[in-house]
Amino acid sequence: MNTATVAELGRALSAVLSSREPAIVTNNGRAQNLIVNVSGMDIDEVVDLARSMQARASLSSLRGSARRQRLGELSIEDIDAEVAAVRAAR
């Protein structure tokens, strides 16, 4: 997979867009965008692809957050207590 900084993208946009290989665009060393060639796909397929990618990114973020908070270590009793507390606060 290709990578390009925002500055590099500005200088070589047409080459990146015409490539069949995906490109990760970075800004200050962090991934910011993903460019994927969708030639040959109809608009509905592109929309489905974009939604699927967004859903996977959201799920990955949620899993990372749960790991950092050590939520996988909660017992059933802990979960029941948390649910009861939220319901009581309503």
Side-chain angles (χ1 to χ4, degrees), residues 1-3 16 19-24 34-37:
M1 188 166 304
N2 296 323
T3 61
V16 172
S19 174
R20 300 293 293 163
E21 189 170 336
I24 298 171
L34 175 65
I35 298 176
V36 179
N37 187 318

Side-chain angles (χ1 to χ4, degrees), residues 74-88:
L74 291 175
S75 68
I76 294 298
E77 292 79 18
D78 293 334
I79 294 169
D80 288 343
E82 185 68 26
V83 170
V86 169
R87 287 179 177 163

